[in-house]
Short mmCIF file of all heavy atoms in Angstrom, two decimals:
data_model
loop_
_atom_site.label_atom_id
_atom_site.label_comp_id
_atom_site.label_asym_id
_atom_site.label_seq_id
_atom_site.Cartn_x
_atom_site.Cartn_y
_atom_site.Cartn_z
N VAL U 166 -22.22 -5.51 1.28
CA VAL U 166 -21.73 -6.79 0.73
C VAL U 166 -21.55 -7.83 1.84
O VAL U 166 -21.86 -9.02 1.66
CB VAL U 166 -20.40 -6.65 -0.07
CG1 VAL U 166 -20.60 -5.85 -1.33
CG2 VAL U 166 -19.27 -6.07 0.77
N GLN U 167 -21.10 -7.38 3.01
CA GLN U 167 -20.85 -8.34 4.08
C GLN U 167 -22.15 -8.83 4.72
O GLN U 167 -22.27 -10.00 5.08
CB GLN U 167 -19.93 -7.72 5.12
CG GLN U 167 -18.53 -7.45 4.58
CD GLN U 167 -17.63 -6.83 5.63
OE1 GLN U 167 -17.11 -7.53 6.50
NE2 GLN U 167 -17.46 -5.53 5.58
N ILE U 168 -23.13 -7.94 4.83
CA ILE U 168 -24.42 -8.40 5.37
C ILE U 168 -25.04 -9.39 4.38
O ILE U 168 -25.60 -10.42 4.77
CB ILE U 168 -25.38 -7.22 5.65
CG1 ILE U 168 -24.82 -6.31 6.73
CG2 ILE U 168 -26.76 -7.74 6.07
CD1 ILE U 168 -25.70 -5.09 7.06
N ALA U 169 -24.90 -9.11 3.09
CA ALA U 169 -25.47 -10.02 2.08
C ALA U 169 -24.81 -11.40 2.20
O ALA U 169 -25.48 -12.43 2.08
CB ALA U 169 -25.28 -9.44 0.68
N LYS U 170 -23.51 -11.43 2.46
CA LYS U 170 -22.84 -12.73 2.65
C LYS U 170 -23.37 -13.41 3.92
O LYS U 170 -23.63 -14.62 3.93
CB LYS U 170 -21.32 -12.55 2.77
CG LYS U 170 -20.58 -12.31 1.47
CD LYS U 170 -20.82 -13.34 0.40
CE LYS U 170 -20.36 -14.74 0.73
NZ LYS U 170 -20.75 -15.71 -0.35
N LEU U 171 -23.55 -12.62 4.99
CA LEU U 171 -24.08 -13.21 6.23
C LEU U 171 -25.48 -13.79 6.02
O LEU U 171 -25.88 -14.74 6.71
CB LEU U 171 -24.13 -12.15 7.35
CG LEU U 171 -22.77 -11.74 7.92
CD1 LEU U 171 -22.88 -10.47 8.76
CD2 LEU U 171 -22.19 -12.87 8.77
N LYS U 172 -26.20 -13.25 5.06
CA LYS U 172 -27.56 -13.75 4.76
C LYS U 172 -27.52 -14.90 3.75
O LYS U 172 -28.56 -15.34 3.26
CB LYS U 172 -28.43 -12.61 4.20
CG LYS U 172 -28.68 -11.50 5.21
CD LYS U 172 -29.61 -11.96 6.32
CE LYS U 172 -29.66 -10.99 7.48
NZ LYS U 172 -30.37 -11.48 8.65
N GLY U 173 -26.33 -15.35 3.38
CA GLY U 173 -26.22 -16.53 2.52
C GLY U 173 -26.37 -16.25 1.04
O GLY U 173 -26.67 -17.15 0.26
N CYS U 174 -26.15 -15.01 0.65
CA CYS U 174 -26.30 -14.66 -0.77
C CYS U 174 -24.98 -14.83 -1.52
O CYS U 174 -23.91 -14.87 -0.92
CB CYS U 174 -26.76 -13.20 -0.90
SG CYS U 174 -28.33 -12.90 -0.10
N HIS U 175 -25.11 -14.88 -2.85
CA HIS U 175 -23.92 -14.81 -3.71
C HIS U 175 -23.73 -13.33 -4.01
O HIS U 175 -24.66 -12.67 -4.49
CB HIS U 175 -24.15 -15.62 -5.00
CG HIS U 175 -22.96 -15.59 -5.91
ND1 HIS U 175 -21.98 -16.56 -5.87
CD2 HIS U 175 -22.59 -14.69 -6.86
CE1 HIS U 175 -21.05 -16.26 -6.77
NE2 HIS U 175 -21.40 -15.14 -7.38
N VAL U 176 -22.53 -12.80 -3.75
CA VAL U 176 -22.36 -11.34 -3.81
C VAL U 176 -21.34 -10.93 -4.87
O VAL U 176 -20.23 -11.47 -4.94
CB VAL U 176 -21.94 -10.79 -2.43
CG1 VAL U 176 -21.80 -9.27 -2.49
CG2 VAL U 176 -22.96 -11.17 -1.37
N ILE U 177 -21.76 -9.96 -5.68
CA ILE U 177 -20.88 -9.38 -6.70
C ILE U 177 -20.68 -7.90 -6.33
O ILE U 177 -21.67 -7.20 -6.05
CB ILE U 177 -21.52 -9.47 -8.11
CG1 ILE U 177 -21.90 -10.92 -8.43
CG2 ILE U 177 -20.56 -8.91 -9.17
CD1 ILE U 177 -22.75 -11.06 -9.71
N GLY U 178 -19.44 -7.46 -6.31
CA GLY U 178 -19.16 -6.07 -5.97
C GLY U 178 -18.50 -5.34 -7.12
O GLY U 178 -17.65 -5.91 -7.81
N ILE U 179 -18.90 -4.09 -7.33
CA ILE U 179 -18.25 -3.24 -8.34
C ILE U 179 -17.54 -2.11 -7.59
O ILE U 179 -18.15 -1.43 -6.76
CB ILE U 179 -19.28 -2.62 -9.32
CG1 ILE U 179 -20.10 -3.72 -9.99
CG2 ILE U 179 -18.57 -1.76 -10.36
CD1 ILE U 179 -21.20 -3.19 -10.92
N ALA U 180 -16.25 -1.93 -7.87
CA ALA U 180 -15.50 -0.86 -7.20
C ALA U 180 -14.39 -0.39 -8.13
O ALA U 180 -14.08 -1.05 -9.14
CB ALA U 180 -14.91 -1.37 -5.89
N GLY U 181 -13.79 0.75 -7.78
CA GLY U 181 -12.75 1.33 -8.63
C GLY U 181 -11.36 1.01 -8.12
O GLY U 181 -10.97 1.43 -7.03
N GLY U 182 -10.59 0.28 -8.93
CA GLY U 182 -9.17 0.06 -8.62
C GLY U 182 -8.88 -1.30 -8.02
O GLY U 182 -9.73 -1.94 -7.39
N LYS U 183 -7.61 -1.72 -8.24
CA LYS U 183 -7.17 -3.06 -7.83
C LYS U 183 -7.23 -3.24 -6.30
O LYS U 183 -7.72 -4.25 -5.80
CB LYS U 183 -5.72 -3.21 -8.32
CG LYS U 183 -5.13 -4.58 -8.24
CD LYS U 183 -3.87 -4.66 -9.13
CE LYS U 183 -3.19 -6.00 -9.00
NZ LYS U 183 -2.13 -6.05 -8.03
N GLU U 184 -6.73 -2.24 -5.58
CA GLU U 184 -6.66 -2.37 -4.12
C GLU U 184 -8.04 -2.60 -3.53
O GLU U 184 -8.24 -3.49 -2.69
CB GLU U 184 -6.01 -1.11 -3.52
CG GLU U 184 -5.62 -1.24 -2.05
CD GLU U 184 -6.74 -0.95 -1.05
OE1 GLU U 184 -7.78 -0.35 -1.42
OE2 GLU U 184 -6.59 -1.35 0.11
N LYS U 185 -9.01 -1.81 -3.99
CA LYS U 185 -10.37 -1.93 -3.44
C LYS U 185 -10.97 -3.29 -3.80
O LYS U 185 -11.65 -3.92 -2.99
CB LYS U 185 -11.26 -0.79 -3.93
CG LYS U 185 -10.91 0.57 -3.29
CD LYS U 185 -11.90 1.65 -3.67
CE LYS U 185 -11.51 2.97 -2.99
NZ LYS U 185 -12.43 4.07 -3.27
N CYS U 186 -10.71 -3.74 -5.04
CA CYS U 186 -11.27 -5.04 -5.46
C CYS U 186 -10.63 -6.19 -4.67
O CYS U 186 -11.33 -7.13 -4.27
CB CYS U 186 -11.10 -5.22 -6.96
SG CYS U 186 -12.23 -4.14 -7.88
N GLU U 187 -9.32 -6.08 -4.42
CA GLU U 187 -8.67 -7.14 -3.62
C GLU U 187 -9.23 -7.17 -2.21
O GLU U 187 -9.45 -8.23 -1.63
CB GLU U 187 -7.15 -6.92 -3.61
CG GLU U 187 -6.52 -7.36 -4.91
CD GLU U 187 -5.04 -7.04 -5.02
OE1 GLU U 187 -4.46 -6.44 -4.09
OE2 GLU U 187 -4.47 -7.38 -6.06
N TRP U 188 -9.45 -5.99 -1.65
CA TRP U 188 -9.99 -5.93 -0.28
C TRP U 188 -11.40 -6.55 -0.23
O TRP U 188 -11.72 -7.27 0.72
CB TRP U 188 -10.03 -4.47 0.19
CG TRP U 188 -10.48 -4.34 1.61
CD1 TRP U 188 -9.77 -4.63 2.74
CD2 TRP U 188 -11.79 -3.93 2.07
NE1 TRP U 188 -10.53 -4.41 3.87
CE2 TRP U 188 -11.78 -3.98 3.48
CE3 TRP U 188 -12.95 -3.51 1.42
CZ2 TRP U 188 -12.88 -3.64 4.26
CZ3 TRP U 188 -14.05 -3.16 2.19
CH2 TRP U 188 -14.01 -3.23 3.59
N LEU U 189 -12.17 -6.33 -1.27
CA LEU U 189 -13.51 -6.92 -1.30
C LEU U 189 -13.44 -8.44 -1.29
O LEU U 189 -14.22 -9.12 -0.60
CB LEU U 189 -14.29 -6.44 -2.54
CG LEU U 189 -14.84 -5.01 -2.46
CD1 LEU U 189 -15.40 -4.57 -3.81
CD2 LEU U 189 -15.92 -4.90 -1.38
N LYS U 190 -12.47 -8.99 -2.02
CA LYS U 190 -12.31 -10.46 -2.01
C LYS U 190 -11.93 -10.93 -0.60
O LYS U 190 -12.42 -11.95 -0.12
CB LYS U 190 -11.22 -10.89 -3.01
CG LYS U 190 -11.57 -10.66 -4.47
CD LYS U 190 -12.69 -11.53 -4.97
CE LYS U 190 -12.19 -12.80 -5.59
NZ LYS U 190 -13.29 -13.59 -6.22
N GLU U 191 -11.07 -10.13 0.06
CA GLU U 191 -10.65 -10.50 1.42
C GLU U 191 -11.82 -10.56 2.40
O GLU U 191 -11.82 -11.38 3.32
CB GLU U 191 -9.63 -9.48 1.97
CG GLU U 191 -8.21 -9.72 1.52
CD GLU U 191 -7.31 -8.54 1.85
OE1 GLU U 191 -7.55 -7.88 2.88
OE2 GLU U 191 -6.39 -8.27 1.06
N VAL U 192 -12.82 -9.69 2.20
CA VAL U 192 -13.95 -9.72 3.14
C VAL U 192 -15.05 -10.67 2.67
O VAL U 192 -16.13 -10.70 3.23
CB VAL U 192 -14.54 -8.31 3.43
CG1 VAL U 192 -13.50 -7.40 4.05
CG2 VAL U 192 -15.15 -7.68 2.19
N GLY U 193 -14.76 -11.44 1.63
CA GLY U 193 -15.67 -12.54 1.27
C GLY U 193 -16.55 -12.34 0.06
O GLY U 193 -17.40 -13.20 -0.23
N VAL U 194 -16.36 -11.23 -0.66
CA VAL U 194 -17.19 -11.02 -1.86
C VAL U 194 -16.82 -12.08 -2.91
O VAL U 194 -15.65 -12.39 -3.12
CB VAL U 194 -16.97 -9.58 -2.40
CG1 VAL U 194 -17.67 -9.38 -3.73
CG2 VAL U 194 -17.48 -8.57 -1.38
N ASP U 195 -17.83 -12.65 -3.55
CA ASP U 195 -17.59 -13.78 -4.46
C ASP U 195 -16.94 -13.34 -5.77
O ASP U 195 -15.99 -13.96 -6.23
CB ASP U 195 -18.92 -14.49 -4.74
CG ASP U 195 -19.53 -15.06 -3.46
OD1 ASP U 195 -18.98 -16.03 -2.95
OD2 ASP U 195 -20.52 -14.49 -2.97
N ASP U 196 -17.47 -12.28 -6.37
CA ASP U 196 -16.94 -11.80 -7.64
C ASP U 196 -16.83 -10.28 -7.60
O ASP U 196 -17.69 -9.62 -7.01
CB ASP U 196 -17.88 -12.17 -8.80
CG ASP U 196 -17.99 -13.68 -8.98
OD1 ASP U 196 -16.95 -14.32 -9.25
OD2 ASP U 196 -19.11 -14.20 -8.82
N VAL U 197 -15.78 -9.76 -8.22
CA VAL U 197 -15.62 -8.30 -8.22
C VAL U 197 -15.38 -7.80 -9.64
O VAL U 197 -14.82 -8.52 -10.47
CB VAL U 197 -14.45 -7.84 -7.31
CG1 VAL U 197 -14.77 -8.06 -5.85
CG2 VAL U 197 -13.15 -8.51 -7.69
N ILE U 198 -15.80 -6.58 -9.88
CA ILE U 198 -15.51 -5.92 -11.16
C ILE U 198 -14.87 -4.57 -10.84
O ILE U 198 -15.44 -3.77 -10.07
CB ILE U 198 -16.80 -5.70 -11.99
CG1 ILE U 198 -17.45 -7.05 -12.33
CG2 ILE U 198 -16.47 -4.94 -13.28
CD1 ILE U 198 -18.74 -6.93 -13.12
N ASP U 199 -13.71 -4.34 -11.42
CA ASP U 199 -13.03 -3.06 -11.27
C ASP U 199 -13.51 -2.16 -12.41
O ASP U 199 -13.04 -2.27 -13.54
CB ASP U 199 -11.50 -3.31 -11.35
CG ASP U 199 -10.70 -2.03 -11.32
OD1 ASP U 199 -11.31 -0.94 -11.34
OD2 ASP U 199 -9.46 -2.13 -11.31
N TYR U 200 -14.46 -1.28 -12.10
CA TYR U 200 -15.10 -0.51 -13.19
C TYR U 200 -14.15 0.51 -13.81
O TYR U 200 -14.39 1.00 -14.91
CB TYR U 200 -16.38 0.18 -12.69
CG TYR U 200 -16.16 1.46 -11.90
CD1 TYR U 200 -16.20 2.71 -12.51
CD2 TYR U 200 -15.91 1.42 -10.52
CE1 TYR U 200 -15.99 3.88 -11.80
CE2 TYR U 200 -15.69 2.58 -9.81
CZ TYR U 200 -15.74 3.81 -10.45
OH TYR U 200 -15.52 4.96 -9.74
N LYS U 201 -13.04 0.80 -13.10
CA LYS U 201 -12.10 1.78 -13.67
C LYS U 201 -11.16 1.13 -14.68
O LYS U 201 -10.54 1.81 -15.49
CB LYS U 201 -11.28 2.45 -12.56
CG LYS U 201 -12.11 3.46 -11.76
CD LYS U 201 -11.28 4.26 -10.79
CE LYS U 201 -12.13 5.35 -10.14
NZ LYS U 201 -11.52 5.89 -8.92
N ASN U 202 -11.02 -0.19 -14.60
CA ASN U 202 -10.08 -0.87 -15.48
C ASN U 202 -10.73 -1.95 -16.33
O ASN U 202 -10.03 -2.81 -16.87
CB ASN U 202 -8.93 -1.46 -14.66
CG ASN U 202 -8.11 -0.37 -14.00
OD1 ASN U 202 -7.50 0.45 -14.69
ND2 ASN U 202 -8.12 -0.32 -12.68
N SER U 203 -12.05 -1.95 -16.39
CA SER U 203 -12.72 -2.91 -17.28
C SER U 203 -14.05 -2.31 -17.73
O SER U 203 -14.50 -1.28 -17.18
CB SER U 203 -12.94 -4.25 -16.56
OG SER U 203 -13.83 -4.07 -15.50
N ASN U 204 -14.67 -2.96 -18.67
CA ASN U 204 -15.92 -2.46 -19.21
C ASN U 204 -17.08 -3.21 -18.54
O ASN U 204 -17.31 -4.39 -18.80
CB ASN U 204 -15.92 -2.71 -20.74
CG ASN U 204 -17.17 -2.17 -21.39
OD1 ASN U 204 -18.24 -2.14 -20.79
ND2 ASN U 204 -17.02 -1.74 -22.63
N VAL U 205 -17.77 -2.51 -17.63
CA VAL U 205 -18.83 -3.15 -16.84
C VAL U 205 -19.93 -3.70 -17.75
O VAL U 205 -20.46 -4.78 -17.52
CB VAL U 205 -19.44 -2.15 -15.82
CG1 VAL U 205 -20.59 -2.79 -15.05
CG2 VAL U 205 -18.38 -1.67 -14.85
N HIS U 206 -20.20 -2.97 -18.80
CA HIS U 206 -21.26 -3.36 -19.74
C HIS U 206 -20.96 -4.75 -20.34
O HIS U 206 -21.86 -5.57 -20.53
CB HIS U 206 -21.35 -2.30 -20.84
CG HIS U 206 -22.60 -2.38 -21.63
ND1 HIS U 206 -23.84 -2.10 -21.10
CD2 HIS U 206 -22.82 -2.74 -22.91
CE1 HIS U 206 -24.75 -2.26 -22.03
NE2 HIS U 206 -24.17 -2.66 -23.14
N GLU U 207 -19.66 -4.99 -20.58
CA GLU U 207 -19.29 -6.30 -21.15
C GLU U 207 -19.07 -7.35 -20.06
O GLU U 207 -19.43 -8.52 -20.22
CB GLU U 207 -17.99 -6.16 -21.97
CG GLU U 207 -18.22 -5.43 -23.28
CD GLU U 207 -16.90 -5.07 -23.97
OE1 GLU U 207 -15.84 -5.54 -23.51
OE2 GLU U 207 -16.96 -4.31 -24.96
N GLU U 208 -18.43 -6.94 -18.96
CA GLU U 208 -18.03 -7.90 -17.92
C GLU U 208 -19.20 -8.42 -17.09
O GLU U 208 -19.25 -9.60 -16.74
CB GLU U 208 -17.01 -7.26 -16.97
CG GLU U 208 -15.62 -7.07 -17.55
CD GLU U 208 -15.04 -8.38 -18.06
OE1 GLU U 208 -15.02 -9.35 -17.28
OE2 GLU U 208 -14.62 -8.43 -19.23
N LEU U 209 -20.12 -7.53 -16.75
CA LEU U 209 -21.17 -7.91 -15.81
C LEU U 209 -22.02 -9.09 -16.31
O LEU U 209 -22.23 -10.06 -15.56
CB LEU U 209 -22.04 -6.70 -15.45
CG LEU U 209 -23.07 -6.94 -14.36
CD1 LEU U 209 -22.42 -7.40 -13.06
CD2 LEU U 209 -23.90 -5.68 -14.10
N PRO U 210 -22.48 -9.06 -17.56
CA PRO U 210 -23.29 -10.21 -18.02
C PRO U 210 -22.51 -11.52 -17.99
O PRO U 210 -23.09 -12.58 -17.76
CB PRO U 210 -23.67 -9.82 -19.45
CG PRO U 210 -23.53 -8.34 -19.51
CD PRO U 210 -22.42 -8.00 -18.58
N LYS U 211 -21.18 -11.44 -18.17
CA LYS U 211 -20.37 -12.68 -18.13
C LYS U 211 -20.29 -13.20 -16.70
O LYS U 211 -20.36 -14.41 -16.46
CB LYS U 211 -18.94 -12.38 -18.62
CG LYS U 211 -18.83 -12.15 -20.12
CD LYS U 211 -17.36 -12.05 -20.50
CE LYS U 211 -17.15 -11.05 -21.62
NZ LYS U 211 -15.79 -10.54 -21.71
N ILE U 212 -20.13 -12.29 -15.73
CA ILE U 212 -19.98 -12.71 -14.33
C ILE U 212 -21.33 -13.09 -13.73
O ILE U 212 -21.44 -14.07 -12.99
CB ILE U 212 -19.31 -11.57 -13.52
CG1 ILE U 212 -17.81 -11.54 -13.88
CG2 ILE U 212 -19.47 -11.77 -12.02
CD1 ILE U 212 -17.04 -10.45 -13.20
N ALA U 213 -22.35 -12.31 -14.05
CA ALA U 213 -23.69 -12.57 -13.48
C ALA U 213 -24.51 -13.38 -14.48
O ALA U 213 -25.59 -12.95 -14.92
CB ALA U 213 -24.37 -11.24 -13.16
N LYS U 214 -24.03 -14.59 -14.78
CA LYS U 214 -24.71 -15.43 -15.79
C LYS U 214 -26.14 -15.79 -15.37
O LYS U 214 -27.00 -16.01 -16.20
CB LYS U 214 -23.91 -16.72 -16.01
CG LYS U 214 -22.66 -16.51 -16.83
CD LYS U 214 -22.13 -17.87 -17.31
CE LYS U 214 -20.87 -17.70 -18.14
NZ LYS U 214 -19.74 -17.23 -17.35
N ASN U 215 -26.35 -15.86 -14.03
CA ASN U 215 -27.70 -16.21 -13.54
C ASN U 215 -28.51 -14.98 -13.17
O ASN U 215 -29.48 -15.07 -12.40
CB ASN U 215 -27.58 -17.15 -12.34
CG ASN U 215 -26.98 -18.48 -12.76
OD1 ASN U 215 -27.27 -18.99 -13.84
ND2 ASN U 215 -26.10 -19.02 -11.93
N GLY U 216 -28.11 -13.83 -13.66
CA GLY U 216 -28.87 -12.61 -13.43
C GLY U 216 -28.62 -12.00 -12.05
O GLY U 216 -27.73 -12.44 -11.30
N ILE U 217 -29.43 -11.00 -11.72
CA ILE U 217 -29.28 -10.28 -10.45
C ILE U 217 -30.64 -10.25 -9.75
O ILE U 217 -31.64 -9.85 -10.37
CB ILE U 217 -28.83 -8.81 -10.72
CG1 ILE U 217 -27.49 -8.74 -11.47
CG2 ILE U 217 -28.78 -8.00 -9.42
CD1 ILE U 217 -26.29 -9.25 -10.71
N ASP U 218 -30.67 -10.65 -8.48
CA ASP U 218 -31.94 -10.61 -7.73
C ASP U 218 -32.09 -9.28 -6.96
O ASP U 218 -33.19 -8.77 -6.82
CB ASP U 218 -32.00 -11.77 -6.74
CG ASP U 218 -32.00 -13.11 -7.46
OD1 ASP U 218 -32.88 -13.30 -8.33
OD2 ASP U 218 -31.10 -13.94 -7.19
N ILE U 219 -30.96 -8.80 -6.44
CA ILE U 219 -31.00 -7.53 -5.70
C ILE U 219 -29.84 -6.66 -6.20
O ILE U 219 -28.70 -7.12 -6.24
CB ILE U 219 -30.84 -7.74 -4.18
CG1 ILE U 219 -31.99 -8.59 -3.63
CG2 ILE U 219 -30.77 -6.40 -3.45
CD1 ILE U 219 -31.85 -8.92 -2.14
N TYR U 220 -30.16 -5.44 -6.56
CA TYR U 220 -29.09 -4.50 -6.91
C TYR U 220 -29.12 -3.35 -5.91
O TYR U 220 -30.10 -2.59 -5.86
CB TYR U 220 -29.25 -3.96 -8.34
CG TYR U 220 -28.22 -2.90 -8.68
CD1 TYR U 220 -26.88 -3.04 -8.28
CD2 TYR U 220 -28.56 -1.74 -9.39
CE1 TYR U 220 -25.93 -2.07 -8.57
CE2 TYR U 220 -27.61 -0.77 -9.69
CZ TYR U 220 -26.30 -0.94 -9.27
OH TYR U 220 -25.35 0.02 -9.55
N PHE U 221 -28.07 -3.21 -5.12
CA PHE U 221 -27.94 -2.10 -4.17
C PHE U 221 -27.11 -1.04 -4.87
O PHE U 221 -25.89 -1.18 -5.02
CB PHE U 221 -27.27 -2.58 -2.87
CG PHE U 221 -27.38 -1.60 -1.73
CD1 PHE U 221 -28.27 -1.82 -0.70
CD2 PHE U 221 -26.59 -0.45 -1.70
CE1 PHE U 221 -28.38 -0.92 0.36
CE2 PHE U 221 -26.70 0.45 -0.65
CZ PHE U 221 -27.59 0.21 0.39
N ASP U 222 -27.78 0.02 -5.31
CA ASP U 222 -27.14 0.99 -6.21
C ASP U 222 -26.63 2.22 -5.45
O ASP U 222 -27.41 2.98 -4.90
CB ASP U 222 -28.15 1.42 -7.28
CG ASP U 222 -27.53 2.35 -8.29
OD1 ASP U 222 -26.28 2.39 -8.39
OD2 ASP U 222 -28.28 3.05 -9.00
N ASN U 223 -25.33 2.41 -5.47
CA ASN U 223 -24.74 3.61 -4.86
C ASN U 223 -24.31 4.63 -5.90
O ASN U 223 -23.88 5.72 -5.54
CB ASN U 223 -23.50 3.22 -4.03
CG ASN U 223 -23.88 2.56 -2.73
OD1 ASN U 223 -24.74 3.07 -2.01
ND2 ASN U 223 -23.26 1.44 -2.41
N VAL U 224 -24.39 4.28 -7.19
CA VAL U 224 -23.76 5.16 -8.18
C VAL U 224 -24.70 5.69 -9.26
O VAL U 224 -24.43 6.73 -9.85
CB VAL U 224 -22.53 4.47 -8.84
CG1 VAL U 224 -21.54 4.00 -7.77
CG2 VAL U 224 -22.91 3.33 -9.75
N GLY U 225 -25.76 4.99 -9.59
CA GLY U 225 -26.68 5.43 -10.65
C GLY U 225 -26.04 5.36 -12.03
O GLY U 225 -25.13 4.56 -12.28
N GLY U 226 -26.54 6.21 -12.95
CA GLY U 226 -25.92 6.39 -14.26
C GLY U 226 -25.86 5.13 -15.11
O GLY U 226 -26.77 4.30 -15.11
N GLU U 227 -24.76 5.01 -15.86
CA GLU U 227 -24.62 3.93 -16.85
C GLU U 227 -24.63 2.55 -16.22
O GLU U 227 -25.12 1.59 -16.82
CB GLU U 227 -23.29 4.08 -17.60
CG GLU U 227 -23.29 5.21 -18.62
CD GLU U 227 -21.91 5.42 -19.21
OE1 GLU U 227 -21.06 4.52 -19.09
OE2 GLU U 227 -21.71 6.50 -19.78
N ILE U 228 -24.06 2.43 -15.02
CA ILE U 228 -24.01 1.10 -14.40
C ILE U 228 -25.43 0.65 -14.06
O ILE U 228 -25.80 -0.51 -14.29
CB ILE U 228 -23.08 1.10 -13.16
CG1 ILE U 228 -21.62 1.33 -13.63
CG2 ILE U 228 -23.20 -0.21 -12.38
CD1 ILE U 228 -20.58 1.32 -12.54
N LEU U 229 -26.25 1.56 -13.58
CA LEU U 229 -27.65 1.21 -13.29
C LEU U 229 -28.33 0.71 -14.56
O LEU U 229 -29.04 -0.31 -14.54
CB LEU U 229 -28.38 2.43 -12.71
CG LEU U 229 -29.88 2.30 -12.51
CD1 LEU U 229 -30.24 1.15 -11.58
CD2 LEU U 229 -30.46 3.62 -11.95
N GLU U 230 -28.09 1.41 -15.65
CA GLU U 230 -28.73 1.00 -16.91
C GLU U 230 -28.27 -0.40 -17.33
O GLU U 230 -29.08 -1.24 -17.74
CB GLU U 230 -28.41 2.02 -18.01
CG GLU U 230 -29.18 1.77 -19.27
CD GLU U 230 -29.10 2.96 -20.21
OE1 GLU U 230 -29.54 4.06 -19.82
OE2 GLU U 230 -28.58 2.78 -21.33
#
Side-chain angles (χ1 to χ4, degrees):
V166 293
Q167 294 180 79
I168 296 179
K170 283 306 297 175
L171 288 167
K172 296 289 169 189
C174 300
H175 181 93
V176 181
I177 305 170
I179 303 177
K183 190 163 176 266
E184 192 275 344
K185 288 187 179 182
C186 287
E187 282 174 359
W188 184 75
L189 284 171
K190 293 292 267 186
E191 278 168 33
V192 299
V194 173
D195 298 289
D196 296 299
V197 291
I198 299 179
D199 175 356
Y200 80 95
K201 286 188 174 162
N202 295 297
S203 65
N204 182 328
V205 177
H206 195 68
E207 288 169 9
E208 287 304 308
L209 186 59
K211 288 187 215 159
I212 286 178
K214 284 195 180 68
N215 294 322
I217 301 294
D218 297 305
I219 297 176
Y220 175 42
F221 193 104
D222 184 19
N223 285 313
V224 306
E227 285 173 17
I228 293 181
L229 172 59
E230 188 166 299

